[in-house]
């Protein structure tokens, strides 16, 4: 993976939910995610129709004291829930962010059945209002 952009997400409150985000082709991006402060529950959903794991999700707890990173392939949506106050996440991406290519799916869409460790206490309006998946990215 050739890194062309690095971002940081600062999250003040435990229970902040971000996601589920991805970018449309030809701007799709692979990501490497690391929690550098605090602790998060990190989730990826496979939205690649040709994939044997299509519409399945995987999750891992990432923490500043851990030595784990999460690689998210192109075509997978990504999101997380903070498990501690003041949780910071660093993203390494192989494509730059393109605002008009930004897509998302609903964090609690029954099509995926993601088992979150708690309910969000803070979520952006954009993330809270993504539509159900219904077989395509909304």
């Amino acid at each position: 993976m050739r890194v062309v952009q690095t971002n940081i997400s600062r999250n003040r409150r435990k229970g902040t939910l971000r996601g589920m985000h991805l970018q449309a082709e030809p701007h799709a991006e692979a990501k490497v995610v690391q929690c550098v402060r605090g602790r998060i529950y990190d989730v990826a959903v496979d939205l690649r129709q040709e994939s044997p794991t299509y519409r399945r999700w995987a999750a891992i707890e990432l923490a500043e004291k851990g030595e784990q990173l999460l690689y998210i392939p192109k075509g997978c949506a990504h999101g997380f829930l903070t498990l501690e106050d003041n949780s910071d996440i660093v993203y390494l991406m192989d494509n730059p962010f393109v605002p008009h290519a930004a897509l998302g799916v609903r964090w609690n869409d029954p099509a995926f059945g993601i088992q979150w460790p708690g309910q969000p206490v803070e979520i952006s309006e954009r993330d809270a209002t993504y539509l159900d998946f219904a077989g395509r990215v909304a």
Side-chain angles (χ1 to χ4, degrees):
M1 182 173 140
R2 186 175 143 254
V3 175
V4 300
Q5 184 171 323
T6 303
N7 292 351
I8 188 163
S9 174
R10 294 218 153 117
N11 305 277
R12 303 272 179 247
R13 293 181 68 192
K14 175 183 177 179
T16 298
L17 189 131
R18 306 231 186 255
M20 302 295 292
H21 306 140
L22 71 158
Q23 288 199 148
E25 291 290 354
H27 306 287
E29 59 191 10
K31 302 176 187 175
V32 174
V33 181
Q34 181 180 21
C35 182
V36 296
R37 182 177 175 199
R39 195 166 53 97
I40 65 169
Y41 185 76
D42 208 1
V43 178
V45 176
D46 189 349
L47 298 179
R48 302 167 296 175
Q49 290 184 344
E50 73 286 353
S51 172
T53 57
Y54 178 59
R55 291 179 40 174
R56 292 176 57 193
W57 61 276
I60 186 171
E61 188 175 304
L62 299 175
E64 67 181 284
K65 294 179 180 153
E67 296 179 2
Q68 294 179 313
L69 305 170
L70 180 62
Y71 173 77
I72 301 161
K74 292 179 181 193
C76 294
H78 172 253
F80 63 85
L81 180 70
T82 60
L83 301 175
E84 294 180 3
D85 288 341
N86 299 311
S87 292
D88 296 341
I89 295 83
V90 171
Y91 298 84
L92 306 175
M93 279 124 11
D94 71 346
N95 256 338
F97 178 72
V98 178
H100 71 271
L103 301 173
V105 294
R106 196 158 55 89
W107 66 276
N108 60 351
D109 188 331
F112 310 124
I114 299 169
Q115 297 175 9
W116 296 93
Q119 289 294 312
V121 296
E122 188 171 307
I123 184 171
S124 72
E125 182 177 345
R126 177 189 69 164
D127 291 351
T129 57
Y130 284 130
L131 301 176
D132 282 346
F133 181 67
R136 62 175 176 73
V137 176

